[in-house]
Each structure stands twice: as structure tokens, then as C-alpha cells.
Amino acid sequence: MNLIREIWQSIVRRDPLSTDKGKSELVFLNVWLHIHPAKVKKEHFKFNHTFYLGFITFFLFLVLVTTGIALMCYYRPYPSVAYQDMKDLQFVVFMGPFLRSMHRWAAHAMVICVFLHMCRVFYTGSYKKPRQFNWVVGVILLLLTLGLSFTGYLLPWDQLAFWAITVGTNIGGYAPFVGNYIRELLLGGHTVGQEALIRFYVLHVAVLPSLVILLTIVHFWRIRKDGGLSRPIWKLKPNKPEELVTIGATPQTAPLQAVAASSDKTYGLMEVVTGKPIFETVAPEEEEDAVFSYPFAFFREAIALMATVTVVMATSLFWHAPLEELANPAKTPNPAKAPWYFLGLQELVSHSALIGGVVAPSLMVLALLVIPYFDRNPSRRPSDRKWAIWLFTIFVVINLVLIVIGTFFRGPGWAFVPPWVHVVAGAE
Amino acid sequence: MNRRSFLSWGTAGMATLGSAMAVSFGAVVRFMTPSVFYEPPQTFKIGKPLDFAYGAPTFLADEKIYVFRDRDKGFSVASAVCTHLGCTVKFFTNDDQFHCPCHGSIFAESGKVVHGPAPRPLNWFEVTLARDGQLLVDKDKIVPASYRLMV
Ligand code: HEM
Ligand code: FES
């Protein structure tokens, strides 16, 4: 009995969770949990502030890593063998269709959630000082998410995969000067073939996930260092935007008195750092809003995790990920469509490959990246930032409309065909 | 070490480190650039002239080419790769035009763009007669649309 207790205590050193000390130690003695502060503010966990979209995105990524590793046990990245393996996963492997569907639906969901998360960060003005850089990290995460989807799209080696990637990489070829070279690097050749498949595989299972993990760590770390999440907009005091500007501003008060360092004393970091903290200052009456992360935050995060996993699993039970015919370089399906989140791009490209495929998307990404530095308005209150909200909404709507047109209104030969009109395909 | 020598050694050190990094980066990029392409050859034989019918062009799927044979003018070979984004175009005999399924480009029989978004006409490849009497296509040699091989 004593041995068991000794083993347990060698693993878990914290005090019992019934004590405040135990609750704090649970967080900061644990390498996984200590990204959280010991105490959180209740308002940050209000559902209609974040909609938990960042968490959900992260949990979807975890689902993708787990199911992805499972799929890797059966998948061999070699043309036609790859397709056979997909067929095996579809018909032979125990729970194969389920795992493959989970991976596919979670990937779609992640694209949606990362986009919605970006929208919520924008509409709540949470990219403003001192969070500008975390927005930039976020935009890169968004691009990486799209990159993961794009590289993953080729792996089944079916018709959809082959033509989506043929078209997609040819768009890159239109980039001035370096376009063709980058395309050659990506494909390891001039057409989509075995070299392209192995390169996409390496990007999909090693390079891009590692980058996402690294940047996610930075993203979360920065949330802490930026003073926790932003305050919900309904908590912002009306007409006093200055109060918010103080975050990260140069201290107005006199700097702390410098005291000569004594040689026989060890200094803690907080004694060396002077100046005003970048944290949003909290009025005493708001202090009581803070509660221990355990159980308040962990409980809510666990619910979000379980809800995410449950929805993905349930969807995968009822709908299976599609698989088309084996890739056939000689026969382009009509219409040949990219994955839905790139159909806006494909719609633009159908008008002009250079402007629609290279110039417009580059400008969009650039615009997203500079938003926090370009928007000098310090206020986060929606009523103070009508222009910003209008512009961003237009950006979102244009993207959605293009995607909807590309998805539902384009038929054979990319002709404009409303979804309610039935076209007999392949009139040859 | 005095200030001046610290600075000059420091500069030299940084320059060395910088160039080492630049060279390594170049090496990585070069590593990723394929030295050999395991792709089908650009020059290939497609068979004897007699194998091809007059009239509508013959589509060779693996090579992605259309072989035209005209009673008076002879042979010409068009690329089936759309100049927009690389989908395979299809020749329709009802309007004698190439249609691209991806974004709706249409090319005339001569390869000219009838309808965008394709920016350039279809490519025409050189076709010659090999010693063994077979037609020899060279995809590296782009020829004008008027090019013909009389057999
Ligand atoms: C892989 C993708 C991403 C993951 C896993 C992720 C995760 C998270 C999480 C868990 C939070 C905590 C609050 C919440 O749930 O909303 C958060 C906050 C934040 N995210 Fe992301 N995020 C991602 C992409 C993005 C993108 C695309 C942007 C913007 C372009 C962005 C910008 C931010 C900012 C500025 C915050 C702080 C918001 C605040 O203080 O209220 N993130 N992120
Ligand atoms: S690839 Fe032919 S029209 Fe786009």
C-alpha cells in the first residue's frame, strides 16, 4: 500500500485538489497544463466571446494527427498502389472507412473553423495592440491549414485528386519569374506523377504538421504573454477607448525606483523586470471574476474537445468520404473541380489565371497580414469601427459568393449552370 | 581583445556564418531540384502513317496529343494540354473545336483560342518520318500551326 502511494506521489506531486494550493500546482507542475495560467477570468470563457472556435480548431487538428497516423499504417505513397490502399481502407481494413472519413471530415471542418475563428478575432477587434503579432501567426496557421488540405488532396490518387492538383500547381506556374521553378520543386517534375506524390506526402505528413505544431505553440504562448484573451466586447467601457490603449503602452507613471543590486542576494525575474506590465489592468471589483483554471477552464475545454470528437465521429458513421476512379492523366473529368475551399480561387482563375490565381490571392493574404498594423483605430467597440467591420464583411462575403458560384453554379465546361437545372453530362 | 579587433573579427565571423548559411540554403534548394526526370521521353514514335484515318484527329491518351491527317496537306500534331492550367482538351466533331472541361476554354481546329480563359493557342509539335517508316513526334520542338508533314 505504501509502495503504491509512493509511486503515485512520485508521479503526482501536487497537494490534493480540494486545496487552493493543489489547484494551482495542478497547473504549474504539469508540463501540458501549464500553458494555462493558474487562474483564469470567467469572462474569457463566455461562449459568445470566442465561440470556442480556436479550441475547436486545435482539437480538430489533434483528431487529424491521430487518424492520420492510423491511415499511414496502410497507405503507401506510390501511384496506383496508393489508390489500391485507399480501396483497401474502403473495403478491407477494419474500421478503415470510418477512420478515413474522420480524417476527411475533420480536415474540412478545420478549414471552416479556422476561418470562422479568424472572423471572430476580427469582429471582436482582438488583433489590436498588443495582439498584432499573434494575428500574423494566426494568418500563417490559416495558410498552413490550407496547405495541409491541398497536399492531402492528392494522396488518394483518384481522378479528383489528380486533376485538382494538376490545376492547382499550374496556377502556381503563372507566378512571375519563379513560378515554373517552384512548380518543378513541388512536383519533382513537370507533371503530376510519382515524384509529385512522394513530395506531397512528405509535406503532408511531416513538414506541414510540424510547422503547425510549432506555430500553435507560439500562438498559445503569445496569448499568455499578451495578457490572456481579450475582454469580451460587451465588457468594454463605453466611450473610453483610452482605457484599452494602456495595454502595452509606454508607462505614464515614473519607472520603478532603481535600487543598487546587492551582491549577496539572488534576484527573481520579476524583481529584475521593471516598467509597466503589458497586461490589461484590472479594477479591484473585477478581480473576483478570476477563478482557478481547475476545474472551471479545464471542464469547459474538455466539453469542447468531446463535442468536437463526437461530431466528427457521428458524421463519419453516417457519411463516408468519397473516392473516385483511379487517376487517369488522359481523361479530365468534366467539370474538373478543386476542393470546395479552393473553388473561389478556381472561379477567379476561370477568368484569368494570372490575376485570379496569383495576384488576387497574394493581395488577399497580404491584406490579412497587415490588418493589425494598418488599422490604427485603438477602440475595439464595434460601434467605433464601422468601416473596418464593413470592409472585412465585404471580404468575407466576396469569398463566400465565389465559393458558392464555383461549387453550385458551375457545370460541364465551367458553364454557368444553376443547381436546379439538370445537365446530362458527357454529351459527346 | 580590444574594441577594434573585436569588431573586425566579429564582422568577419558574421560574414562567414552568413555565407555558410547562404550556401547551405542554396544546397538545400539544389537538393530539392530533381537532377533526373523519370518522365516519358519527349520524343517518341506513334506508328505508321497508314494507322491514321483521315478526317477527325486521333487522340493518343498517353502522349496527350491529337494527330491530324489531311488528305491534301498531310500530318500535323497538336498538344491536348490546355494552355490555361493543363487539363486535357477534347475534340468535338460536331463543332470541330477543342473544349477544355476545366474552365471552359475553347480552341479552334487550328489551335487558336476561340473562348478564354486560355491565354495562348494550343501547341503544335514537330512530326517527322523516322527511318523505320514510323511517325516521330518531338514535343520539345514547337512548330507553327501551319506545319505539315507530307507523306
Ligand atoms: C491552426 C490554426 C489555429 C489554432 C489551432 C488557433 C487556436 C487558438 C486558440 C485555442 C485561441 C484561444 C481563444 C479561442 O478559442 O478563440 C486563439 C486565439 C487567438 N487566435 Fe487563433 N488559432 C488558429 C488560427 C488563427 C488565425 C487564422 C488567426 C487570425 C488570422 C488567429 C488569431 C488569433 C488571435 C489574435 C487570438 C487571441 C484572441 C483574443 O485574445 O481574444 N488564430 N487561437
Ligand atoms: S485548364 Fe483548360 S480552361 Fe483552365
Side-chain angles (χ1 to χ4, degrees):
Chain A
M1 237 26 238
N2 266 342
L3 180 64
I4 293 182
R5 169 173 301 167
E6 195 184 321
I7 294 175
W8 172 251
Q9 286 176 350
S10 75
I11 303 171
V12 176
R13 297 197 181 137
R14 59 173 164 71
D15 279 7
L17 285 175
S18 49
T19 66
D20 283 357
K21 183 155 174 272
K23 285 175 186 156
S24 321
E25 283 176 347
L26 171 71
V27 175
F28 58 74
L29 294 185
N30 179 305
V31 66
W32 308 116
L33 295 181
H34 88 282
I35 191 91
H36 295 83
K39 278 188 155 191
V40 293
K41 281 201 247 155
K42 276 188 184 167
E43 61 180 34
H44 289 156
F45 284 82
K46 280 275 187 298
F47 185 74
N48 29 357
H49 177 42
T50 67
F51 303 97
Y52 285 62
L53 284 165
F55 286 118
I56 294 172
T57 309
F58 178 61
F59 296 146
L60 285 169
F61 180 69
L62 294 186
V63 170
L64 284 164
V65 172
T66 326
T67 53
I69 290 176
L71 294 178
M72 280 173 77
C73 297
Y74 282 99
Y75 178 85
R76 290 164 295 169
Y78 193 81
S80 65
V81 174
Y83 185 75
Q84 278 168 32
D85 291 342
M86 298 316 287
K87 280 282 175 208
D88 271 8
L89 280 165
Q90 219 180 4
F91 296 111
V92 183
V93 178
F94 175 69
M95 290 229 300
F98 181 63
L99 280 173
R100 191 166 92 84
S101 305
M102 275 186 76
H103 196 73
R104 176 72 68 98
W105 302 144
H108 286 303
M110 187 171 166
V111 173
I112 299 177
C113 289
V114 74
F115 185 75
L116 291 179
H117 170 60
M118 181 179 81
C119 294
R120 107 70 193 153
V121 171
F122 186 88
Y123 286 121
T124 59
S126 301
Y127 56 87
K128 300 197 173 196
K129 209 167 178 179
R131 299 185 173 81
Q132 305 100 314
F133 182 65
N134 217 12
W135 169 273
V136 175
V137 174
V139 175
I140 301 175
L141 279 169
L142 172 81
L143 296 180
L144 288 173
T145 307
L146 291 176
L148 273 165
S149 308
F150 185 64
T151 49
Y153 220 75
L154 181 63
L155 305 186
W157 203 255
D158 60 355
Q159 276 289 67
L160 196 62
F162 184 88
W163 290 103
I165 304 305
T166 300
V167 169
T169 48
N170 274 327
I171 294 177
Y174 272 89
F177 311 118
V178 288
N180 274 320
Y181 186 63
I182 290 184
R183 180 161 182 276
E184 194 181 299
L185 278 191
L186 203 59
L187 293 183
H190 301 103
T191 49
V192 179
Q194 73 187 51
E195 291 83 4
L197 183 54
I198 189 77
R199 283 184 185 212
F200 272 58
Y201 180 71
V202 170
L203 284 173
H204 187 75
V205 306
V207 180
L208 295 175
S210 315
L211 290 176
V212 168
I213 291 171
L214 286 177
L215 279 173
T216 305
I217 295 173
V218 176
H219 198 59
F220 291 177
W221 175 251
R222 284 302 290 233
I223 295 177
R224 285 289 301 276
K225 295 294 128 180
D226 293 341
L229 290 190
S230 58
R231 308 199 62 189
I233 33 180
W234 64 85
K235 290 263 184 170
L236 301 173
K237 306 216 176 50
N239 300 328
K240 275 203 213 155
E242 322 86 70
E243 272 193 273
L244 297 153
V245 201
T246 53
I247 313 163
T250 32
Q252 256 98 55
T253 48
L256 293 186
Q257 199 71 48
V259 183
S262 139
S263 56
D264 54 0
K265 183 171 186 280
T266 333
Y267 286 87
L269 189 57
M270 53 286 199
E271 293 169 279
V272 182
V273 179
T274 57
K276 213 167 177 218
I278 58 167
F279 305 116
E280 270 167 304
T281 29
V282 185
E285 75 270 15
E286 280 168 9
E287 199 61 70
E288 66 201 34
D289 191 38
V291 289
F292 279 106
S293 295
Y294 174 86
F296 187 85
F298 299 153
F299 177 71
R300 280 160 179 74
E301 288 171 22
I303 297 280
L305 171 63
M306 287 189 286
T308 309
V309 176
T310 312
V311 170
V312 175
M313 281 188 163
T315 317
S316 311
L317 276 180
F318 295 109
W319 287 282
H320 283 167
L323 184 66
E324 297 197 352
E325 298 160 47
L326 175 66
N328 178 358
K331 186 170 160 284
T332 314
N334 190 356
K337 291 196 178 184
W340 61 266
Y341 33 83
F342 288 131
L343 282 185
L345 191 62
Q346 190 171 346
E347 177 61 28
L348 286 175
V349 161
S350 76
H351 300 283
S352 154
L354 179 60
I355 296 181
V358 180
V359 179
S362 310
L363 286 180
M364 277 193 223
V365 170
L366 201 68
L368 283 179
L369 283 172
V370 301
I371 282 178
Y373 304 100
F374 193 72
D375 179 1
R376 317 295 308 176
N377 175 0
S379 171
R380 286 184 46 218
R381 289 162 44 79
S383 52
D384 295 339
R385 42 197 295 267
K386 294 215 174 69
W387 273 103
I389 287 180
W390 266 110
L391 281 175
F392 191 75
T393 308
I394 291 172
F395 169 81
V396 171
V397 169
I398 288 180
N399 271 288
L400 291 185
V401 167
L402 285 174
I403 288 181
V404 168
I405 293 182
T407 312
F408 298 112
F409 288 83
R410 290 299 183 182
W414 209 250
F416 190 87
V417 181
W420 50 87
V421 175
H422 184 69
V423 183
V424 186
E428 290 166 18
Chain B
M1 183 180 275
N2 63 25
R3 185 185 140 86
R4 177 175 299 177
S5 69
F6 174 77
L7 283 181
S8 46
W9 277 106
T11 315
M14 293 307 273
T16 316
L17 188 65
S19 31
M21 276 162 62
V23 170
S24 314
F25 180 75
V28 170
V29 173
R30 179 61 191 86
F31 174 83
M32 295 307 296
T33 315
S35 303
V36 189
F37 290 106
Y38 296 96
E39 289 173 349
Q42 293 293 89
T43 316
F44 45 84
K45 291 177 182 166
I46 55 172
K48 296 245 177 1
L50 281 179
D51 300 344
F52 294 89
Y54 294 110
T58 315
F59 176 55
L60 300 184
D62 289 338
E63 291 83 6
K64 293 197 185 182
I65 51 174
Y66 275 96
V67 182
F68 283 87
R69 184 172 191 193
D70 189 283
R71 211 173 282 277
D72 312 316
K73 297 184 221 135
F75 281 93
S76 53
V77 172
S79 162
V81 178
C82 178
T83 53
H84 181 229
L85 291 170
C87 290
T88 309
V89 297
K90 199 173 164 96
F91 189 82
F92 284 77
T93 37
N94 51 354
D95 63 355
D96 282 343
Q97 285 177 331
F98 297 96
H99 292 252
C100 181
C102 287
H103 315 99
S105 286
I106 301 176
F107 303 87
E109 200 176 2
S110 66
K112 280 218 184 64
V113 182
V114 177
H115 187 279
R120 280 176 292 108
L122 291 175
N123 283 331
W124 292 87
F125 299 129
E126 187 191 82
V127 50
T128 49
L129 208 56
R131 261 162 211 256
D132 61 358
Q134 292 204 56
L135 293 169
L136 182 74
V137 175
D138 188 347
K139 279 192 177 177
D140 279 333
K141 299 220 175 90
I142 311 277
V143 294
S146 55
Y147 178 95
R148 291 290 183 282
L149 170 73
M150 281 307 294
V151 187

